[in-house]
Amino acid sequence: MRGNAISLPVILLNFKCYLEATGSRAVSLARHAQEAARKHGVSIIVAPQVADLRLVSQETEIPVFAQHIDAITAGSHTGHVLPESVLEAGASGVIINHSECRLQIGIIEDVISRAKDLKLRTAVCANTSRIAAAVASLEPDMIAVEPPELIGSGIAVSKAEPEILTDTVTRIRRINSEVIILCGAGITSGEDIKSALALGAQGVILASGVVKARDQAAAIDELASACR
Amino acid sequence: MRGNAISLPVILLNFKCYLEATGSRAVSLARHAQEAARKHGVSIIVAPQVADLRLVSQETEIPVFAQHIDAITAGSHTGHVLPESVLEAGASGVIINHSECRLQIGIIEDVISRAKDLKLRTAVCANTSRIAAAVASLEPDMIAVEPPELIGSGIAVSKAEPEILTDTVTRIRRINSEVIILCGAGITSGEDIKSALALGAQGVILASGVVKARDQAAAIDELASACR
Amino acid sequence: MRGNAISLPVILLNFKCYLEATGSRAVSLARHAQEAARKHGVSIIVAPQVADLRLVSQETEIPVFAQHIDAITAGSHTGHVLPESVLEAGASGVIINHSECRLQIGIIEDVISRAKDLKLRTAVCANTSRIAAAVASLEPDMIAVEPPELIGSGIAVSKAEPEILTDTVTRIRRINSEVIILCGAGITSGEDIKSALALGAQGVILASGVVKARDQAAAIDELASACR
Amino acid sequence: MRGNAISLPVILLNFKCYLEATGSRAVSLARHAQEAARKHGVSIIVAPQVADLRLVSQETEIPVFAQHIDAITAGSHTGHVLPESVLEAGASGVIINHSECRLQIGIIEDVISRAKDLKLRTAVCANTSRIAAAVASLEPDMIAVEPPELIGSGIAVSKAEPEILTDTVTRIRRINSEVIILCGAGITSGEDIKSALALGAQGVILASGVVKARDQAAAIDELASACR
């Protein structure tokens, strides 16, 4: 990516605040993701914690997203995440409004605007099909629908609630024909990805399915292989 | 510091989200601070943005604080700042409850508790003498009183409102005899530091006075020289 | 209203937290609004503070909206605004996501859902045309676009930035053909309302233009007369 | 109360957002509390929802507290709770920083200040003994310690964790000799109150123990009788 178009399908791997994906383990996981991406010719993006963005960017060549940025410009904002700081640390995009980091609707628009100014990609999360449609009007690069009750459950949204996904795709496409649609929550296997893609998603977002897997390398490899 | 006691007086230099202290410029500023600390035998701590913690820690030997951490343990907390992530990135302490990043009182206690578990130092900000006294009951390592109306003003609290500082010292000492007391807001010159120390502060916290100075190296050098 | 359709155009008069519209003065202002509504055959809704909802509902027959409700069901929610409490106090609707009370996007959906369950009308505020379009996907009864920089300015959005209003109408109508579109910010005169209606708005939301007027009765009378 | 000193011991009955204590049922419950207070010569304060403050104040003579106010002065604050609005609605005090409505530490100080200006009593909640001590420096009229894990549990803090209460009393008294100390969480019986008073509390705060009781009148009567 890093300036280029995102090839589809895409896997967005969110490291969250898991110790298994912090610091040196963030680099290790990013390397596994990079290998899987290359082996299977699949687009994988990793989203480490802000403290690890530069390290992962330096040690790998895989596209890196921040998990959050604040809708601020440079100045007196102690404790906030300046968009320029993640850009300089190597991020090429950002996750916005994750279920664990919900934002006011006006802030989502502001963050998208700041990100576009810096040519950072934007992936906005939505927990229902209606919110996904609402977000489509804000014109991010990607929308990820994730029913919160399935996050981390091991029960894939694409299997347990396929109608959420098809409904989301329908609602978004009425409003925005270009945005990339991801689905998330409970994705752990290649089958989960295949069913998601079959229902109209162009990729998936996941975390624990890989990060907490006994064998992270095998887990991401299986997912990537299912995308071909 | 990094495990040792903090020698006094101490200057806590907050990089905030200024571009003049982001990325490579964070390293440059931290080096100036390190030189001044060594030249004058004064304790200086720098607080870069989270994305820059590891870089500054690797490129310098000066003590590094995070500007904020969240009161979380490892897990599903997309977009948050895991205490372990800043520790592994090289931080030896953390600023808590800065005027630009206010926390609920229960969260302050939780953050202090998490920080202590990880042997991270804690510097809790307070914008009035009463709040400083309240914070003293939570037993952080340092309390920094900063009247918000003077932050970034160039008018030093130690000169403009000395009674705030003496009142703060009196109130804190009734409750907590060990906590290190810093004062902040409007500090720009060696004179400002001298007046702060004369009024009972054991150090200062500042940002724009150095970060936005035309000559950052000269600005921090002057401040450090005033501490002897 | 109170169960019936909202006749158009409509004036939504937000009492905010002005002393001139608190307690007994809330009743007085609501009476002026009621007189103007009757005299000119215009639909006016008043939105007093939560503490005054019952008093205004009892003392007048004008439709009453709450300024905010929380997305909660009955239970342990000290300090929150239970939707049922404003309903029982006489409210027939609610303002949601006002510029001074911004909500997370998921909460907006939840509040709309709770309100619909109780047959409370919903008027969701948006500060840009894009956010107005986003909100349209959440299917409230009304959307009020209010550029924050003009709120309380005395400079009417319908005159100063007519393109915001026409752009908002265009964007909303692509998505939602039924929602009532209000415009706000800086409305003080009948001329302001006429220009708003001419640009495609079906009503206005305002506060200080009436609440802070030297003669509240005359101010609301002029506005109502302009709606015919 | 209403201007007079609070007689001790005191029972602060929080109606929360329970339907059993909303609207007309708030009046009914307040009447039960008033009867129990008179019968047993005990001080009882009720805290209905904001929408019900005026109704309860008008229909009873029992002291009424708001469950929350915002740290604002009159003006453009849509959806907020203006201190003057609850005062005019009949409140004589306010609960601050309840476990379900946590505030930033600076806001707690501001709310106490606003309340004192209006001669509203202040009861600040704290979920640990350290936070209770911190709050003591802010000089409210009452501090209520409530371990969150016991709220609504039916297991009384005064029995399950007596050391929390004695520790709280000790810590508060080092700092503030005048503040009234309440304890809460899990209080349901007269025995719970007696043990709380024996451990140094001067009253209790409770909600579900009475509000959700099959017989509200009997429940509050038992509690009041135990205070003699």
Side-chain angles (χ1 to χ4, degrees), chain A residues 13-33 46-53 55-56 64-65 67 206-213 216, chain B residues 54 74-78 80 82 84-86 88:
Chain A
L13 182 56
N14 181 2
F15 289 12
K16 296 194 173 180
C17 287
Y18 291 118
L19 280 183
E20 294 86 349
T22 296
S24 57
R25 285 150 297 181
V27 174
S28 168
L29 177 53
R31 285 198 181 116
H32 295 317
V46 295
Q49 294 169 63
V50 170
D52 295 328
L53 285 171
L55 183 66
V56 172
V64 170
F65 274 27
Q67 290 178 21
L206 83 163
S208 60
V210 168
V211 178
K212 305 288 279 186
Q216 294 179 335
Chain B
R54 181 175 274 108
S76 303
H77 304 289
T78 302
H80 290 71
L82 181 69
E84 282 82 353
S85 79
V86 306
E88 188 166 339

Side-chain angles (χ1 to χ4, degrees), chain D residues 154-189:
Chain D
I155 303 166
V157 58
S158 48
K159 288 180 158 177
E161 308 199 37
E163 70 289 353
I164 288 185
L165 187 47
T166 51
D167 184 39
T168 299
V169 172
T170 305
R171 285 176 185 267
I172 290 176
R173 287 293 175 241
R174 268 187 220 139
I175 291 164
N176 185 319
S177 60
E178 296 184 5
V179 67
I180 296 169
I181 302 174
L182 309 183
C183 90
I187 306 284
T188 60
S189 72

Side-chain angles (χ1 to χ4, degrees), chain A residues 34 83 145 154 166-167 186:
Chain A
Q34 180 170 278
V145 66
T166 52
D167 184 39

Side-chain angles (χ1 to χ4, degrees), chain C residues 14 16-19 22-25 49-52 54-55 67-68 72 74-80 82 84-85 88 98 100-101, chain D residues 14 16-19 22-25 49-52 54-55 67-68 72 74-80 82 84-85 88 98 100-101:
Chain C
N14 181 2
K16 297 194 173 180
C17 286
Y18 290 119
L19 280 183
T22 296
S24 58
R25 285 151 296 183
Q49 293 168 63
V50 170
D52 296 327
R54 180 174 274 109
L55 183 66
Q67 291 177 20
H68 171 71
I72 55 170
S76 303
H77 304 289
T78 302
H80 290 72
L82 181 68
E84 283 82 353
S85 79
E88 187 166 340
H98 189 277
E100 295 150 13
C101 195
Chain D
N14 181 2
K16 296 195 175 181
C17 286
Y18 290 119
L19 279 183
T22 296
S24 58
R25 285 151 295 181
Q49 293 168 63
V50 170
D52 295 328
R54 180 174 275 109
L55 182 66
Q67 291 177 21
H68 170 71
I72 54 169
S76 303
H77 303 290
T78 302
H80 289 72
L82 181 68
E84 283 83 351
S85 80
E88 188 165 341
H98 189 277
E100 296 150 13
C101 194

Side-chain angles (χ1 to χ4, degrees), chain C residues 67-133:
Chain C
Q67 291 177 20
H68 171 71
I69 55 173
D70 285 299
I72 55 170
T73 52
S76 303
H77 304 289
T78 302
H80 290 72
V81 183
L82 181 68
E84 283 82 353
S85 79
V86 306
L87 180 70
E88 187 166 340
S92 57
V94 61
I95 297 174
I96 298 169
N97 192 49
H98 189 277
S99 178
E100 295 150 13
C101 195
R102 289 286 182 225
L103 301 180
Q104 295 173 13
I105 188 169
I107 300 293
I108 297 176
E109 186 184 37
D110 290 345
V111 172
I112 291 173
S113 170
R114 286 287 285 129
K116 285 187 176 174
D117 288 346
L118 298 177
K119 303 201 189 310
L120 290 166
R121 307 277 185 183
T122 52
V124 180
C125 300
N127 57 339
T128 68
S129 57
R130 248 181 246 274
I131 294 175

